[in-house]
Amino acid sequence: MRVLLTGGCGFIGANFVRHVLAQREDLELVNLDALTYAGNPANLADLADHPRYRFIKGDVADRVAAAEAVRGCQAVVHMAAESHVDRSIEGPAEFIRTNVVGTQVLLDAARDAGVSRFVLVSTDEVYGSLGPTGYFTETTPLAPSSPYSASKAAADLLALAYHHTFGFPAIVTRCSNNYGPYQFPEKLIPLFITNADANRPLPLYGDGRNVRDWIHVEDHVRGLLAVLDRGRPGEVYNIGGGNERTNLEITQTILAALGKPASLITFVADRLGHDRRYAIDATKTRGELGWRPTIDFKEGVAATVRWYLEHRTWWEEIKSGAYRDYYERMYGDRLRRAPADRT
Ligand code: NAD
Ligand code: TYD
């Protein structure tokens, strides 16, 4: 089967491509990616000539590019997106264009092409924020709070509406926070590993007690493939690791792995509208699809820290470019205003 993957040069996409080419001889991949700041050809450079892989540089919101890419494909895994909450607070427009309009354009192209499955990679952030107890299930009402999560909720609901209205074979996955190799160092775990390595401050938002439910990207990829293989059209599947940690706990784990001092922790002004807690109930996906996460959190984080230490050139190149302006905009004032020591 030939599968159109969108956003394959990003973090989860690169891991998806690597897994499929190594382990799924029955699948061919066409990767449509616009190569935004988050899309890095270096992530897949060694696979460029693989016989079951083809790369197309293009924008999912471009009708012609979307139609050309999906031609001859039997299924779609749509994960191209603007993905960083902080950037969505700084500028929501691109999130609406790619995540909402891009999804509608791709859905139309896939409908015209008559694909037999369309997996929309959504996020647990569409559910909004939890209090100290409870879990998101697939029937939890959507209550997104950031421009990012609102744009993902729109895409998620559009896919389900195409199933309801047109009988289009869309399936939605909602996964918790991923970590692992190739994650762009704007997200918590790779940002803190690479900052700590360079003895730079680790900017923890607010009181550092916000909770995320972490999953290794490889377990997410296996979940997506279970949904592609066996998921039912029109259904939603939660994917989560069952590893709830406060951001402070994550930070301490990273510092311990690198042998760096707690004095690097710097509490800074909170993210606007910051969701307090996410936690996934993946009972349906486990029961119906026989999927379960397999990577132990402690081992997964240790391996991820090692990966970043062994791939310095990869992230040093990213952090030396346009990223510097982003970092100054996002953290410059916050760090200058941070109270001296609140650890
Ligand atoms: P990422 O930012 O690392 O990668 C996004 C990729 O999409 C990049 O390669 C980028 O070039 C590409 N892209 C962006 N706009 C595009 C456009 N208009 N046309 C074509 N390609 C475009 O993101 P990620 O962390 O790999 O996330 C992938 C997907 O998974 C996203 O849909 C995200 O919402 C979802 N998700 C992510 C997480 C997580 O923890 N990272 C958790 C749950 C769901
Ligand atoms: P992030 O990796 O941006 O993922 P998301 O916002 O999609 O959950 O952030 C994870 C958590 O870490 C979130 O609660 C915000 C927090 N955080 C910080 O405290 N400091 C930072 O510099 C970043 C990037 C995130």
Side-chain angles (χ1 to χ4, degrees):
M1 180 163 78
R2 185 176 299 158
V3 179
L4 171 62
L5 169 70
T6 68
C9 296
F11 162 47
I12 299 171
N15 282 282
F16 186 93
V17 171
R18 292 186 167 280
H19 180 101
V20 166
L21 295 184
Q23 307 206 15
R24 291 290 301 259
E25 292 204 347
D26 57 322
L27 299 180
E28 273 177 41
L29 290 178
V30 175
N31 171 15
L32 175 67
D33 196 301
L35 298 181
T36 68
Y37 81 93
N40 187 347
N43 295 353
L44 296 171
D46 54 318
L47 297 171
D49 299 322
H50 194 286
R52 285 187 287 114
Y53 174 72
R54 184 158 70 96
F55 172 67
I56 301 176
K57 183 174 185 306
D59 186 337
V60 287
D62 171 347
R63 257 165 224 295
V64 176
E68 274 174 15
V70 77
R71 192 175 310 132
C73 294
Q74 291 79 49
V76 177
V77 176
H78 175 37
M79 63 172 79
E82 288 294 331
S83 70
H84 192 36
V85 173
D86 290 327
R87 288 187 193 253
S88 82
I89 295 167
E90 209 188 16
E94 195 56 24
F95 286 72
I96 304 306
R97 201 192 71 80
T98 286
N99 300 2
V100 185
V101 179
T103 297
Q104 172 256 312
V105 168
L106 192 69
L107 282 166
D108 285 341
R111 231 185 116 216
D112 287 346
V115 302
S116 57
R117 294 176 105 57
F118 186 106
V119 178
L120 185 285
V121 182
S122 186
T123 163
D124 64 351
E125 301 194 27
V126 298
Y127 295 121
S129 187
L130 286 168
T133 58
Y135 296 90
F136 299 132
T137 72
E138 288 82 355
T139 54
T140 300
L142 304 198
S145 25
S146 71
Y148 162 68
S149 53
S151 70
K152 290 295 292 185
D156 173 319
L157 292 176
L158 265 177
L160 294 175
Y162 271 53
H163 175 264
H164 183 81
T165 307
F166 306 119
F168 179 74
I171 314 176
V172 169
T173 64
R174 298 181 184 144
C175 187
S176 62
N177 284 62
N178 286 219
Y179 70 94
Y182 299 102
Q183 187 167 30
F184 195 86
E186 66 188 352
K187 305 280 167 60
L188 179 73
I189 289 184
L191 176 66
F192 280 21
I193 294 172
T194 55
N195 274 16
D197 177 64
N199 300 311
R200 297 177 64 134
L202 310 185
L204 256 187
Y205 296 157
D207 62 5
R209 299 288 202 277
N210 300 62
V211 172
R212 297 293 182 262
D213 175 354
W214 294 92
I215 183 170
H216 194 278
V217 62
E218 186 70 16
D219 280 330
H220 183 194
V221 164
R222 288 177 39 263
L224 292 174
L225 288 166
V227 171
L228 179 68
D229 291 339
R230 301 186 291 284
R232 285 178 296 137
E235 293 292 318
V236 176
Y237 294 93
N238 279 354
I239 300 176
N243 297 300
E244 283 186 58
R245 298 286 187 283
T246 65
N247 295 335
L248 185 56
E249 285 169 333
I250 296 287
T251 308
Q252 286 161 341
T253 304
I254 292 170
L255 287 172
L258 288 166
K260 298 286 181 176
S263 55
L264 289 179
I265 298 176
T266 309
F267 288 92
V268 298
D270 208 353
R271 170 186 282 175
L272 297 178
H274 196 174
D275 285 336
R276 191 63 175 171
R277 175 172 168 258
Y278 303 144
I280 278 275
D281 178 343
T283 307
K284 174 179 172 183
T285 311
R286 285 171 177 252
E288 197 181 308
L289 305 181
W291 167 89
R292 62 182 182 82
T294 57
I295 299 179
D296 172 74
F297 183 71
K298 241 177 113 185
E299 286 168 20
V301 171
T304 303
V305 168
R306 278 198 304 279
W307 188 89
Y308 280 87
L309 294 181
E310 286 161 9
H311 293 80
R312 259 169 219 290
T313 335
W314 181 86
W315 56 264
E316 282 175 355
E317 210 147 282
I318 293 171
K319 284 187 122 180
S320 67
Y323 180 93
R324 283 191 186 179
D325 298 333
Y326 162 80
Y327 197 81
E328 174 55 27
R329 285 200 315 276
M330 200 58 71
Y331 296 103
D333 275 350
R334 272 178 160 143
L335 285 167
R336 284 188 283 275
R337 287 185 195 146
D341 185 12
R342 283 184 45 200
T343 61

